[in-house]
């Protein structure tokens, strides 16, 4: 069993780390405070190729494996989880969704700009009444012959304002229940689309999140992804891959918190010595390291299975659930180790703790992941 | 016009230095491109990408064994067109410069960093220029090409000189030559292995110097603390004990 | 046989660093029973040239040739090479600055002589020469052996005590066969008057603890009373509070003054890398855990805004 990374994977990891440690770190606190979109960094990451990492080079993608993606997501999220989620939505949900399930016309038209960051994408599934229970779509997409008409509201959409390309899931044939759901590529500037105000979030505040309202939005037939009724399967399959991105993001948040906790414990003194010499603190750090190592191994295994074209959905669920949950634990302990300093914004760890919470909720709550895992364990 | 950048393969500058058996203990060391050489490479790439000048190729060369190839491939990932590896351990600066001369003589502009972060060798550039008999400017903090004119800034105490030079020229460059080292793009990383990396046999030459042994610096004595209410005591210590004022 | 030092001049004047080279070279010459020779290139007045005799030079060679008006690697190397051959120099000692480093590199090939840079002490042995120098950006030392008859060294700044030794020195003008220059100096830009940070014996430096560029007045007062140059840490120049020419650290200037006073500087490893060769470091910081206290010789924990003015007053 080879646990070593290839030279390319290490170069990719280092490039991600170098960018965020040099550039994104400069204004990460300010953007978190002001809830400001990281336009400059998204552009730079796009130019470096981080927004279409796994896509086919013929569309301008990087042709990289998922393991490389995990490493890059981890490094970026150690410093800036907002950049991480923007990157994850674009790579895992939008680009990957289009590449795997789009037809040639759709891929040629939309992928190149999405891969190099000229445009970014958003994935619209969640609704005010339908989060975990995604099969009950209230947004409708009426089949009007040569176009679809979309009406409804989508909630909690990452990149809602900055994206140009939306992948929208909506109900076409209500009588067919989830088999009557379709997915569409929608131009964000289509008439009839309006955005709710920017959500004032607990964490990942530098990523823009809005609800999106559709009023008689026309979408050409050719923009439907896959066959009629494929939409729910599309969403579920795409989210399976998206979980790897979010798991890696949570892994990075935890890793960033641990690194800071270690550094702080080596400098801070109490009772005559550095606090890292107190067993209570040292043991907390050991616990963090074990949790992170486990989370990383789950992420990498899920990534490896996906790269081998083997079924990976259960492992991506495990990775997402575990990484998110330990991210919450690790960041909380990191704040604790920092004591009073952990409570103020300057030391970053309180931000990491706020960011960790969302990883337990979005792209399938930890509870939904457990449904997926337990159903697989218990099925005959 | 072709540019050659000489790269040193050095331990990551934040690495803790451990010496065992009178050699640098290589366990756990991350190897990187010497930071000054990386800046030189960045400037070379900027010049190549500027369509307004005559630079049409950037090559890199490094003296080292096969273990140095990952570092060389990073340079290819950053955008160099081809790489040369001269197959031997870089021992002292003269030895290294002699090896580099095998390749350097075919280029118009050769860039080397003014220092290397390992043995703080500051000599390879000057030695190389002397060996191949080219023009030579050191402490170069900017490099511009205007038509066929090579214009550099050379740092002097308290200021700088603007210098033009004939070709071929070896430029020993320092901080300022480029703002930040370039981060390789994903595309570059994936294509690095497809670019030529030619291995060249080393030429036999002597070392003019050799390292006999290393020594770790002595732990510094404790800081003598002076009471904030008694600043005059500090003045007294500086005057009579440290004798620096 | 002799010890040859290159006495660089700045607008016709020598600096203390050149006298340090002479004192160092004199010790080697005395040890080996050889002569100490100084070479000056460029327009230097007779009085100034003769000052080299106060630090032990036995012979002073010079040339006022206009070719030496600006530094050029090839031309200066040729002059040094011809001088070295003429005086049968066994040791050639240069300043550890840009010119010295360039000269040493070129000369090493021209004379097939081993070149050791940033030597920190006198040679430990002769024939062959072994000498101690800094490596790994100051994290360690190496003892280096020179495998050739002639050795070329640059001396790490502020490593050797300057000693005045009056000598009866002769001065002699040199005529060189110089190559045609391959480079041309088009223009020169120098900031006149200010005390150069790299030359200063005393340095007063401020960090983030000063809170804003507007608070620099008290450091300027302290520097004024001491006759010190001003410096700063990287965040200060990044924020634009002070010019980047004052930035001291691994990515800024590396200095070795006699006294370095760090005010409101935490002592990050990159900053310390720029000052670790200072003879004496004083740290003033309100945080008793600041890493700067681990490298300082003297320290005061307290409010810089109170302590610095008091220090200035006590020095008057």
């Amino acid at each position: 069993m080879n646990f070593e990374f290839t030279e390319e994977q290490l170069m990719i990891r280092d490039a991600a780390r170098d960018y965020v440690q040099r550039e994104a770190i400069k204004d990460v606190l300010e953007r978190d405070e002001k809830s400001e979109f990281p336009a400059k960094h998204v552009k730079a990451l796009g130019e470096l190729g981080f927004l279409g990492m796994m896509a086919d080079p013929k569309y301008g993608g990087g042709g990289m494996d998922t393991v490389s993606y995990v490493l890059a997501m981890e490094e970026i999220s150690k410093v800036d989880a907002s950049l991480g989620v923007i990157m994850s939505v674009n790579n895992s949900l939008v680009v990957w969704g289009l590449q795997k399930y789009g037809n040639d016309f759709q891929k040629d038209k939309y992928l190149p700009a999405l891969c190099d960051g000229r445009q970014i994408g958003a994935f619209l599934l969640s609704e005010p009444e339908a989060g975990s229970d995604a099969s009950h779509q209230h947004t409708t997409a009426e089949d009007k012959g040569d176009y679809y008409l979309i009406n409804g509201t989508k909630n909690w959409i990452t990149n809602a304002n900055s994206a140009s390309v939306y992948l929208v899931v909506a109900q076409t044939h209500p009588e067919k229940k989830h088999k009557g759901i379709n997915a569409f590529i929608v131009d964000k500037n289509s008439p009839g689309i309006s955005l709710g105000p920017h959500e004032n979030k607990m964490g990942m505040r530098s990523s823009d999140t809005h609800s999106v309202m559709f009023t008689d939005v026309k979408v050409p037939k050719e923009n439907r992804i896959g066959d009629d009724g494929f939409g729910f399967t599309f969403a579920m399959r795409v989210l399976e891959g998206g979980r790897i991105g979010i798991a890696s993001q949570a892994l990075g948040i935890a890793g960033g918190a641990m690194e800071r906790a270690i550094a702080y414990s080596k400098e801070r003194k109490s009772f005559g010595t550095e606090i890292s010499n107190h067993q209570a603190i040292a043991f907390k750090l050991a616990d963090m390291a074990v949790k992170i190592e486990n989370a990383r191994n789950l992420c990498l295994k899920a990534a490896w299975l996906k790269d081998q074209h083997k079924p990976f959905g259960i492992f991506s669920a495990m990775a997402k659930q575990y990484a998110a949950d330990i991210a919450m634990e690790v960041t909380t302990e990191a704040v604790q180790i920092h004591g009073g300093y952990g409570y103020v914004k300057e030391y970053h760890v309180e931000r990491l703790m706020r960011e960790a919470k969302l990883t337990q909720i979005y792209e399938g709550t930890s509870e939904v992941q457990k449904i997926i895992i337990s159903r697989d364990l218990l099925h005959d | 016009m072709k540019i050659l950048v000489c790269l040193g393969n050095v331990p990551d500058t934040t690495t803790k230095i451990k010496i065992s058996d009178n050699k640098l203990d290589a366990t756990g060391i991350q190897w990187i491109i010497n930071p000054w050489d990386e800046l030189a490479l960045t400037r070379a790439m900027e010049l190549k990408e500027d369509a307004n000048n005559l630079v049409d190729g950037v090559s890199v060369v490094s003296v080292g064994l096969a273990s140095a190839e990952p570092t060389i491939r990073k340079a290819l990932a950053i955008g160099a067109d081809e790489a040369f590896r001269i197959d031997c351990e870089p021992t002292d600066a003269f030895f290294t410069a002699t090896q580099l001369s095998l390749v350097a003589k075919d280029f118009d502009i050769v860039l080397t960093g003014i220092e290397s972060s390992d043995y703080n060798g500051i000599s390879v550039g000057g030695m190389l220029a002397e060996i191949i008999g080219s023009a030579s400017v050191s402490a170069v903090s900017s490099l511009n090409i205007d038509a066929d004119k090579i214009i550099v800034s050379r740092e002097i105490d308290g200021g700088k000189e603007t210098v033009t030079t004939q070709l071929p020229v070896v430029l020993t460059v320092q901080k300022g030559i480029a703002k930040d080292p370039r981060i390789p793009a994903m595309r570059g990383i994936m294509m690095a292995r497809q670019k030529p990396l030619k291995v060249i046999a080393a030429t036999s030459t002597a070392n003019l110097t050799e390292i006999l042994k290393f020594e770790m610096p002595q732990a510094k004595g404790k800081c003598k603390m002076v009471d904030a209410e008694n600043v005059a005591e500090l003045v007294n210590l500086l005057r009579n004990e440290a004798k620096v004022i | 046989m002799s010890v040859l030092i290159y006495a660089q001049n700045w607008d016709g004047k020598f600096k203390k660093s050149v006298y340090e080279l002479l004192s160092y070279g004199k010790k080697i010459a005395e040890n080996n029973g050889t002569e100490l020779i100084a070479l000056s290139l460029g327009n230097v007045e007779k009085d100034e040239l003769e000052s080299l005799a106060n630090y032990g030079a036995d012979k002073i060679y010079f040339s006022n040739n206009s070719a030496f008006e600006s530094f050029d690697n090839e031309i200066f190397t040729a002059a040094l090479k011809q001088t070295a051959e003429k005086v049968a120099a066994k040791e050639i000692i240069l300043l550890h600055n840009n010119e010295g480093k360039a000269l040493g590199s070129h000369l090493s090939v021209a004379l097939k002589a081993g070149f050791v840079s940033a030597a920190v002490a006198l040679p430990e042995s002769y024939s062959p020469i072994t000498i101690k120098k800094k490596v790994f950006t100051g994290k360690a030392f190496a003892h280096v052996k020179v495998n050739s008859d002639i050795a070329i060294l640059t001396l790490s700044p502020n490593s050797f005590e300057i000693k005045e030794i009056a000598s009866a020195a002769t001065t002699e003008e040199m005529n060189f066969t110089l190559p045609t220059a391959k480079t041309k100096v088009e223009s020169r830009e120098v900031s006149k008057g200010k005390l150069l940070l790299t030359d200063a014996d005393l340095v007063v430096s401020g960090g983030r603890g000063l809170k804003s560029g507007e608070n620099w007045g008290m450091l300027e007062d302290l520097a004024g009373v001491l006759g010190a140059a001003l410096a700063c840490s990287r965040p200060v120049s990044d924020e634009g509070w002070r010019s980047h020419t004052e930035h001291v650290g691994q990515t800024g200037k590396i200095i070795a003054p006699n006294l370095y006073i760090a005010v409101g500087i935490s002592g990050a490893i990159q900053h310390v890398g720029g000052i670790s060769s200072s003879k004496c470091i004083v740290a003033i910081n309100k945080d008793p855990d600041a890493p700067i206290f681990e490298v300082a010789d003297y320290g005061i924990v307290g409010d810089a805004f109170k302590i610095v003015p008091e220090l200035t007053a006590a020095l008057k």
Side-chain angles (χ1 to χ4, degrees), chain A residues 7-8 11 15 19 22 48-50 60 62-64, chain B residues 70 73-74 77 181 183 185-187 189-190 193:
Chain A
E7 205 180 284
E8 283 78 7
M11 266 203 262
Y19 183 78
R22 245 180 249 165
L48 285 172
F50 282 109
M64 284 165 262
Chain B
R73 266 191 290 273
K74 183 174 179 195
I183 296 174
M186 299 300 103
R187 195 75 72 75
I189 293 173
M190 298 311 280
R193 267 191 212 274

PDB file of all heavy atoms in Angstrom, chain A residues 7-8 11 15 19 22 48-50 60 62-64, chain B residues 70 73-74 77 181 183 185-187 189-190 193:
ATOM      1  N   GLU A   7       5.163  13.460  -7.020  1.00  0.00           N
ATOM      2  CA  GLU A   7       5.809  14.772  -7.100  1.00  0.00           C
ATOM      3  C   GLU A   7       4.810  15.851  -7.503  1.00  0.00           C
ATOM      4  O   GLU A   7       4.811  16.960  -6.961  1.00  0.00           O
ATOM      5  CB  GLU A   7       6.886  14.667  -8.175  1.00  0.00           C
ATOM      6  CG  GLU A   7       8.013  15.628  -8.053  1.00  0.00           C
ATOM      7  CD  GLU A   7       8.982  15.404  -9.188  1.00  0.00           C
ATOM      8  OE1 GLU A   7       9.741  14.414  -9.119  1.00  0.00           O
ATOM      9  OE2 GLU A   7       8.962  16.203 -10.142  1.00  0.00           O
ATOM     10  N   GLU A   8       3.948  15.512  -8.481  1.00  0.00           N
ATOM     11  CA  GLU A   8       2.961  16.498  -8.932  1.00  0.00           C
ATOM     12  C   GLU A   8       2.007  16.853  -7.805  1.00  0.00           C
ATOM     13  O   GLU A   8       1.681  18.019  -7.604  1.00  0.00           O
ATOM     14  CB  GLU A   8       2.155  15.955 -10.123  1.00  0.00           C
ATOM     15  CG  GLU A   8       2.883  15.992 -11.453  1.00  0.00           C
ATOM     16  CD  GLU A   8       3.884  14.873 -11.595  1.00  0.00           C
ATOM     17  OE1 GLU A   8       3.918  13.992 -10.720  1.00  0.00           O
ATOM     18  OE2 GLU A   8       4.635  14.871 -12.590  1.00  0.00           O
ATOM     19  N   MET A  11       3.648  19.215  -5.504  1.00  0.00           N
ATOM     20  CA  MET A  11       3.796  20.549  -6.106  1.00  0.00           C
ATOM     21  C   MET A  11       2.471  21.293  -6.059  1.00  0.00           C
ATOM     22  O   MET A  11       2.428  22.499  -5.816  1.00  0.00           O
ATOM     23  CB  MET A  11       4.260  20.444  -7.568  1.00  0.00           C
ATOM     24  CG  MET A  11       5.754  20.540  -7.730  1.00  0.00           C
ATOM     25  SD  MET A  11       6.223  21.075  -9.389  1.00  0.00           S
ATOM     26  CE  MET A  11       6.588  19.524 -10.157  1.00  0.00           C
ATOM     27  N   ALA A  15       1.802  24.718  -4.115  1.00  0.00           N
ATOM     28  CA  ALA A  15       1.334  25.914  -4.828  1.00  0.00           C
ATOM     29  C   ALA A  15       0.119  26.499  -4.108  1.00  0.00           C
ATOM     30  O   ALA A  15       0.028  27.716  -3.919  1.00  0.00           O
ATOM     31  CB  ALA A  15       1.005  25.577  -6.277  1.00  0.00           C
ATOM     32  N   TYR A  19       0.152  30.178  -2.210  1.00  0.00           N
ATOM     33  CA  TYR A  19      -0.739  31.280  -2.556  1.00  0.00           C
ATOM     34  C   TYR A  19      -1.482  31.818  -1.336  1.00  0.00           C
ATOM     35  O   TYR A  19      -1.483  33.014  -1.076  1.00  0.00           O
ATOM     36  CB  TYR A  19      -1.751  30.910  -3.654  1.00  0.00           C
ATOM     37  CG  TYR A  19      -2.572  32.126  -3.993  1.00  0.00           C
ATOM     38  CD1 TYR A  19      -2.046  33.131  -4.809  1.00  0.00           C
ATOM     39  CD2 TYR A  19      -3.816  32.343  -3.405  1.00  0.00           C
ATOM     40  CE1 TYR A  19      -2.745  34.303  -5.040  1.00  0.00           C
ATOM     41  CE2 TYR A  19      -4.522  33.520  -3.636  1.00  0.00           C
ATOM     42  CZ  TYR A  19      -3.987  34.494  -4.439  1.00  0.00           C
ATOM     43  OH  TYR A  19      -4.669  35.662  -4.654  1.00  0.00           O
ATOM     44  N   ARG A  22       0.718  33.461   1.336  1.00  0.00           N
ATOM     45  CA  ARG A  22       1.321  34.723   0.933  1.00  0.00           C
ATOM     46  C   ARG A  22       0.288  35.806   0.700  1.00  0.00           C
ATOM     47  O   ARG A  22       0.489  36.955   1.045  1.00  0.00           O
ATOM     48  CB  ARG A  22       2.086  34.529  -0.381  1.00  0.00           C
ATOM     49  CG  ARG A  22       3.560  34.715  -0.273  1.00  0.00           C
ATOM     50  CD  ARG A  22       4.182  34.506  -1.613  1.00  0.00           C
ATOM     51  NE  ARG A  22       4.969  33.309  -1.656  1.00  0.00           N
ATOM     52  CZ  ARG A  22       5.395  32.725  -2.773  1.00  0.00           C
ATOM     53  NH1 ARG A  22       5.086  33.218  -3.934  1.00  0.00           N
ATOM     54  NH2 ARG A  22       6.116  31.652  -2.726  1.00  0.00           N
ATOM     55  N   LEU A  48      -4.327  30.337 -11.724  1.00  0.00           N
ATOM     56  CA  LEU A  48      -3.399  29.267 -11.361  1.00  0.00           C
ATOM     57  C   LEU A  48      -3.969  27.893 -11.690  1.00  0.00           C
ATOM     58  O   LEU A  48      -3.259  26.902 -11.676  1.00  0.00           O
ATOM     59  CB  LEU A  48      -3.058  29.332  -9.866  1.00  0.00           C
ATOM     60  CG  LEU A  48      -2.103  30.457  -9.469  1.00  0.00           C
ATOM     61  CD1 LEU A  48      -2.013  30.543  -7.953  1.00  0.00           C
ATOM     62  CD2 LEU A  48      -0.723  30.216 -10.049  1.00  0.00           C
ATOM     63  N   GLY A  49      -5.275  27.846 -11.966  1.00  0.00           N
ATOM     64  CA  GLY A  49      -5.873  26.568 -12.348  1.00  0.00           C
ATOM     65  C   GLY A  49      -6.565  25.834 -11.231  1.00  0.00           C
ATOM     66  O   GLY A  49      -6.903  24.661 -11.362  1.00  0.00           O
ATOM     67  N   PHE A  50      -6.836  26.517 -10.114  1.00  0.00           N
ATOM     68  CA  PHE A  50      -7.448  25.838  -8.979  1.00  0.00           C
ATOM     69  C   PHE A  50      -8.961  25.714  -9.085  1.00  0.00           C
ATOM     70  O   PHE A  50      -9.562  25.071  -8.240  1.00  0.00           O
ATOM     71  CB  PHE A  50      -7.103  26.578  -7.674  1.00  0.00           C
ATOM     72  CG  PHE A  50      -5.718  26.299  -7.190  1.00  0.00           C
ATOM     73  CD1 PHE A  50      -4.742  27.288  -7.255  1.00  0.00           C
ATOM     74  CD2 PHE A  50      -5.373  25.062  -6.677  1.00  0.00           C
ATOM     75  CE1 PHE A  50      -3.442  27.035  -6.812  1.00  0.00           C
ATOM     76  CE2 PHE A  50      -4.082  24.801  -6.228  1.00  0.00           C
ATOM     77  CZ  PHE A  50      -3.118  25.790  -6.303  1.00  0.00           C
ATOM     78  N   GLY A  60      -9.855  23.162 -20.819  1.00  0.00           N
ATOM     79  CA  GLY A  60      -9.121  24.132 -20.007  1.00  0.00           C
ATOM     80  C   GLY A  60      -8.956  23.705 -18.570  1.00  0.00           C
ATOM     81  O   GLY A  60      -8.501  24.478 -17.722  1.00  0.00           O
ATOM     82  N   GLY A  62      -7.455  21.134 -15.445  1.00  0.00           N
ATOM     83  CA  GLY A  62      -6.098  20.726 -15.111  1.00  0.00           C
ATOM     84  C   GLY A  62      -5.837  19.244 -15.292  1.00  0.00           C
ATOM     85  O   GLY A  62      -4.690  18.803 -15.272  1.00  0.00           O
ATOM     86  N   GLY A  63      -6.892  18.446 -15.472  1.00  0.00           N
ATOM     87  CA  GLY A  63      -6.704  17.014 -15.635  1.00  0.00           C
ATOM     88  C   GLY A  63      -6.055  16.355 -14.437  1.00  0.00           C
ATOM     89  O   GLY A  63      -5.382  15.333 -14.564  1.00  0.00           O
ATOM     90  N   MET A  64      -6.262  16.942 -13.257  1.00  0.00           N
ATOM     91  CA  MET A  64      -5.625  16.381 -12.066  1.00  0.00           C
ATOM     92  C   MET A  64      -6.506  15.355 -11.401  1.00  0.00           C
ATOM     93  O   MET A  64      -7.709  15.291 -11.645  1.00  0.00           O
ATOM     94  CB  MET A  64      -5.333  17.501 -11.082  1.00  0.00           C
ATOM     95  CG  MET A  64      -4.147  18.310 -11.501  1.00  0.00           C
ATOM     96  SD  MET A  64      -4.085  19.832 -10.605  1.00  0.00           S
ATOM     97  CE  MET A  64      -4.823  20.879 -11.800  1.00  0.00           C
TER      98      MET A  64
ATOM     99  N   PRO B  70      13.238  16.624  -8.634  1.00  0.00           N
ATOM    100  CA  PRO B  70      11.949  17.250  -8.278  1.00  0.00           C
ATOM    101  C   PRO B  70      12.050  18.770  -8.206  1.00  0.00           C
ATOM    102  O   PRO B  70      11.147  19.471  -8.662  1.00  0.00           O
ATOM    103  CB  PRO B  70      11.634  16.653  -6.904  1.00  0.00           C
ATOM    104  CG  PRO B  70      12.315  15.342  -6.898  1.00  0.00           C
ATOM    105  CD  PRO B  70      13.581  15.532  -7.696  1.00  0.00           C
ATOM    106  N   ARG B  73      12.166  20.085 -11.671  1.00  0.00           N
ATOM    107  CA  ARG B  73      10.852  20.026 -12.330  1.00  0.00           C
ATOM    108  C   ARG B  73       9.931  21.134 -11.854  1.00  0.00           C
ATOM    109  O   ARG B  73       9.032  21.533 -12.562  1.00  0.00           O
ATOM    110  CB  ARG B  73      10.218  18.646 -12.166  1.00  0.00           C
ATOM    111  CG  ARG B  73      10.517  17.740 -13.357  1.00  0.00           C
ATOM    112  CD  ARG B  73       9.689  16.491 -13.322  1.00  0.00           C
ATOM    113  NE  ARG B  73      10.124  15.635 -12.237  1.00  0.00           N
ATOM    114  CZ  ARG B  73      11.093  14.739 -12.341  1.00  0.00           C
ATOM    115  NH1 ARG B  73      11.735  14.581 -13.478  1.00  0.00           N
ATOM    116  NH2 ARG B  73      11.423  13.994 -11.308  1.00  0.00           N
ATOM    117  N   LYS B  74      10.174  21.629 -10.637  1.00  0.00           N
ATOM    118  CA  LYS B  74       9.354  22.764 -10.207  1.00  0.00           C
ATOM    119  C   LYS B  74       9.640  23.958 -11.123  1.00  0.00           C
ATOM    120  O   LYS B  74       8.732  24.695 -11.488  1.00  0.00           O
ATOM    121  CB  LYS B  74       9.624  23.132  -8.753  1.00  0.00           C
ATOM    122  CG  LYS B  74       8.699  24.257  -8.330  1.00  0.00           C
ATOM    123  CD  LYS B  74       8.767  24.624  -6.861  1.00  0.00           C
ATOM    124  CE  LYS B  74       7.796  25.793  -6.616  1.00  0.00           C
ATOM    125  NZ  LYS B  74       8.014  26.472  -5.346  1.00  0.00           N
ATOM    126  N   ALA B  77       7.747  23.475 -14.084  1.00  0.00           N
ATOM    127  CA  ALA B  77       6.333  23.753 -13.796  1.00  0.00           C
ATOM    128  C   ALA B  77       6.072  25.254 -13.803  1.00  0.00           C
ATOM    129  O   ALA B  77       5.028  25.714 -14.257  1.00  0.00           O
ATOM    130  CB  ALA B  77       5.934  23.156 -12.439  1.00  0.00           C
ATOM    131  N   PRO B 181       8.289  35.314  -5.673  1.00  0.00           N
ATOM    132  CA  PRO B 181       8.558  34.156  -6.522  1.00  0.00           C
ATOM    133  C   PRO B 181       7.246  33.641  -7.124  1.00  0.00           C
ATOM    134  O   PRO B 181       6.207  33.663  -6.470  1.00  0.00           O
ATOM    135  CB  PRO B 181       9.156  33.129  -5.550  1.00  0.00           C
ATOM    136  CG  PRO B 181       8.809  33.583  -4.207  1.00  0.00           C
ATOM    137  CD  PRO B 181       8.515  35.039  -4.251  1.00  0.00           C
ATOM    138  N   ILE B 183       4.308  31.334  -8.412  1.00  0.00           N
ATOM    139  CA  ILE B 183       3.706  30.066  -7.998  1.00  0.00           C
ATOM    140  C   ILE B 183       3.354  29.313  -9.279  1.00  0.00           C
ATOM    141  O   ILE B 183       2.724  29.877 -10.170  1.00  0.00           O
ATOM    142  CB  ILE B 183       2.431  30.333  -7.163  1.00  0.00           C
ATOM    143  CG1 ILE B 183       2.808  31.051  -5.869  1.00  0.00           C
ATOM    144  CG2 ILE B 183       1.709  29.031  -6.848  1.00  0.00           C
ATOM    145  CD1 ILE B 183       1.628  31.483  -5.040  1.00  0.00           C
ATOM    146  N   ALA B 185       1.423  27.294 -12.004  1.00  0.00           N
ATOM    147  CA  ALA B 185       0.007  27.044 -12.244  1.00  0.00           C
ATOM    148  C   ALA B 185      -0.205  25.537 -12.397  1.00  0.00           C
ATOM    149  O   ALA B 185       0.716  24.795 -12.713  1.00  0.00           O
ATOM    150  CB  ALA B 185      -0.447  27.764 -13.510  1.00  0.00           C
ATOM    151  N   MET B 186      -1.437  25.110 -12.196  1.00  0.00           N
ATOM    152  CA  MET B 186      -1.749  23.676 -12.253  1.00  0.00           C
ATOM    153  C   MET B 186      -1.323  23.101 -13.597  1.00  0.00           C
ATOM    154  O   MET B 186      -0.744  22.016 -13.667  1.00  0.00           O
ATOM    155  CB  MET B 186      -3.252  23.451 -12.048  1.00  0.00           C
ATOM    156  CG  MET B 186      -3.789  23.924 -10.716  1.00  0.00           C
ATOM    157  SD  MET B 186      -3.022  23.102  -9.295  1.00  0.00           S
ATOM    158  CE  MET B 186      -1.921  24.362  -8.745  1.00  0.00           C
ATOM    159  N   ARG B 187      -1.599  23.842 -14.663  1.00  0.00           N
ATOM    160  CA  ARG B 187      -1.272  23.354 -16.002  1.00  0.00           C
ATOM    161  C   ARG B 187       0.232  23.109 -16.110  1.00  0.00           C
ATOM    162  O   ARG B 187       0.678  22.102 -16.640  1.00  0.00           O
ATOM    163  CB  ARG B 187      -1.709  24.395 -17.037  1.00  0.00           C
ATOM    164  CG  ARG B 187      -1.739  23.847 -18.433  1.00  0.00           C
ATOM    165  CD  ARG B 187      -2.948  22.953 -18.618  1.00  0.00           C
ATOM    166  NE  ARG B 187      -4.158  23.762 -18.668  1.00  0.00           N
ATOM    167  CZ  ARG B 187      -4.506  24.490 -19.738  1.00  0.00           C
ATOM    168  NH1 ARG B 187      -3.763  24.506 -20.808  1.00  0.00           N
ATOM    169  NH2 ARG B 187      -5.605  25.182 -19.715  1.00  0.00           N
ATOM    170  N   ILE B 189       2.323  22.457 -13.701  1.00  0.00           N
ATOM    171  CA  ILE B 189       2.706  21.312 -12.877  1.00  0.00           C
ATOM    172  C   ILE B 189       2.441  20.012 -13.647  1.00  0.00           C
ATOM    173  O   ILE B 189       3.268  19.101 -13.674  1.00  0.00           O
ATOM    174  CB  ILE B 189       1.943  21.318 -11.540  1.00  0.00           C
ATOM    175  CG1 ILE B 189       2.384  22.510 -10.682  1.00  0.00           C
ATOM    176  CG2 ILE B 189       2.161  20.016 -10.788  1.00  0.00           C
ATOM    177  CD1 ILE B 189       1.586  22.709  -9.409  1.00  0.00           C
ATOM    178  N   MET B 190       1.277  19.942 -14.297  1.00  0.00           N
ATOM    179  CA  MET B 190       0.932  18.693 -14.979  1.00  0.00           C
ATOM    180  C   MET B 190       1.805  18.473 -16.225  1.00  0.00           C
ATOM    181  O   MET B 190       1.987  17.360 -16.662  1.00  0.00           O
ATOM    182  CB  MET B 190      -0.558  18.694 -15.378  1.00  0.00           C
ATOM    183  CG  MET B 190      -1.529  18.778 -14.209  1.00  0.00           C
ATOM    184  SD  MET B 190      -1.182  17.586 -12.893  1.00  0.00           S
ATOM    185  CE  MET B 190      -1.913  16.128 -13.591  1.00  0.00           C
ATOM    186  N   ARG B 193       6.606  17.173 -16.522  1.00  0.00           N
ATOM    187  CA  ARG B 193       7.313  15.949 -16.902  1.00  0.00           C
ATOM    188  C   ARG B 193       7.486  15.795 -18.404  1.00  0.00           C
ATOM    189  O   ARG B 193       8.297  14.992 -18.866  1.00  0.00           O
ATOM    190  CB  ARG B 193       6.565  14.718 -16.385  1.00  0.00           C
ATOM    191  CG  ARG B 193       7.062  14.281 -15.039  1.00  0.00           C
ATOM    192  CD  ARG B 193       6.526  12.929 -14.657  1.00  0.00           C
ATOM    193  NE  ARG B 193       6.365  12.870 -13.217  1.00  0.00           N
ATOM    194  CZ  ARG B 193       7.341  12.537 -12.377  1.00  0.00           C
ATOM    195  NH1 ARG B 193       8.522  12.202 -12.843  1.00  0.00           N
ATOM    196  NH2 ARG B 193       7.142  12.529 -11.083  1.00  0.00           N
TER     197      ARG B 193
END
